[in-house]
Amino acid sequence: MQRIRLRYTKRGRLRFTSHRDFQRAFERALRRSEVPMAYSAGFTPHPKVSYANAAPTGTGSEAEFLEIALTEARDPAVLRELLDASMPVGLDITDAVEARTPSLADRLTASVWEMRLDRVAAEDARAAVEAFLAAGTVEVQRRAKNGMRSFDARAAVVDLKVLDPQPDRSGDAPCAILRLVVRHETPAVRPDDVLSGLRAVADLAPPVPAAVTRLAQGLFDEESGTVTDPLAPDREAAPAVSIPADRAAVATAPDGAVSA
């Protein structure tokens, strides 16, 4: 059995696609591409697809991940192209590697988010961010299956800052762009929870819903303060491709030279 790990996106209007809608679209793409999927046992077998930490409905993403199990080996690059061609535009399969290391989910420990707050001045957003970061705890509420739940939205936030205004937006209405780095803890702190925290500590309430996009997801590097690519260890573990001696000689021969 071969396992392939894929990165995919949710762009544009497709950010409103629910996780269940994506599952249905992806399973159709598997059938169209004639992928030799492994199936679970039992009365209702289903393709062996493992989804990891999907973004909430309504948020865009450049870094969603899943893993599939195959009964026959396939070239990950070719498989990616076939699946991407069978998916709706906006749900794009952007990367594929063969799984050669332990659990992918264990490497998804943090996310980088961008939050665009239209009609909010950068100065107001910066003051709210400073108040949020200075607070020891920021209690927020979220509706759960069992009713409203209170939790701290501050502890999981590694970094939160307001980016400098973009030059091409200088003549437009105010727009504050926030960059958020948050650890994946329990309970999970989502971008909308941080926005609720900004409202709680500084009364920052954007007049229109924020446009939220996940830019990266992976292991958090404590030294650099960055979120690393979770597929990189699988690429590094891949065996080196050897080049036959006769091909290597041709590849290295000077222009115009003729090999014996």
Side-chain angles (χ1 to χ4, degrees):
M1 184 182 297
Q2 182 190 36
R3 293 179 297 125
I4 301 292
R5 290 168 177 170
L6 303 169
R7 185 201 314 266
Y8 67 94
T9 71
K10 290 173 61 180
R11 295 169 174 161
R13 296 179 64 183
L14 271 294
R15 69 184 184 276
F16 296 107
T17 302
S18 70
H19 183 55
R20 183 59 189 142
D21 290 336
F22 176 84
Q23 286 179 306
R24 285 193 287 263
F26 185 68
E27 289 179 7
R28 286 195 296 269
L30 291 172
R31 291 193 293 271
R32 291 194 192 104
S33 304
E34 298 181 346
V35 177
M37 289 296 300
Y39 282 78
S40 63
F43 291 104
T44 56
H46 58 274
K48 288 190 175 182
V49 183
S50 300
Y51 299 91
N53 195 36
T57 302
T59 63
S61 180
E62 295 294 318
E64 300 297 288
F65 296 92
L66 59 82
E67 181 175 299
I68 60 177
L70 311 182
T71 57
E72 300 175 11
R74 289 291 186 271
D75 183 328
V78 174
L79 183 64
R80 186 206 70 78
E81 292 181 359
L82 290 172
L83 289 172
D84 186 52
S86 299
M87 293 290 287
V89 175
L91 299 178
D92 305 317
I93 311 297
T94 59
D95 202 356
V97 299
E98 183 172 359
R100 298 179 180 277
T101 57
S103 175
L104 172 64
D106 291 342
R107 296 203 294 272
L108 303 180
T109 63
S111 288
V112 181
W113 298 89
E114 179 181 278
M115 302 184 289
R116 298 175 64 90
L117 310 183
D118 285 312
R119 303 182 192 176
V120 173
E123 296 78 9
D124 296 337
R126 192 168 287 109
V129 165
E130 291 175 357
F132 181 93
L133 295 176
T137 59
V138 179
E139 290 291 325
V140 299
Q141 290 187 326
R142 183 201 303 160
R143 186 174 297 281
K145 294 181 179 179
N146 298 326
M148 296 300 293
R149 182 179 185 180
S150 298
F151 58 95
D152 178 21
R154 174 65 185 89
V157 175
V158 177
D159 189 31
L160 178 62
K161 60 185 176 183
V162 181
L163 302 184
D164 293 333
Q166 298 180 3
D168 60 345
R169 296 185 59 89
S170 57
D172 296 343
C175 176
I177 302 177
L178 278 59
R179 185 67 55 86
L180 166 69
V181 181
V182 61
R183 298 182 189 273
H184 299 166
E185 298 183 349
T186 303
V189 174
R190 306 184 306 204
D192 56 320
D193 299 321
V194 175
L195 291 173
S196 296
L198 293 174
R199 186 184 308 113
V201 299
D203 198 28
L204 182 71
V208 295
V212 179
T213 302
R214 174 148 54 192
L215 303 179
Q217 182 179 189
L219 276 174
F220 181 71
D221 188 318
E222 297 286 351
E223 294 185 2
S224 64
T226 61
V227 175
T228 61
D229 179 7
L231 301 184
D234 294 302
R235 291 194 192 89
E236 294 169 359
V241 178
S242 60
I243 302 177
D246 56 343
R247 290 179 57 190
V250 172
T252 57
D255 292 342
V258 178
S259 58

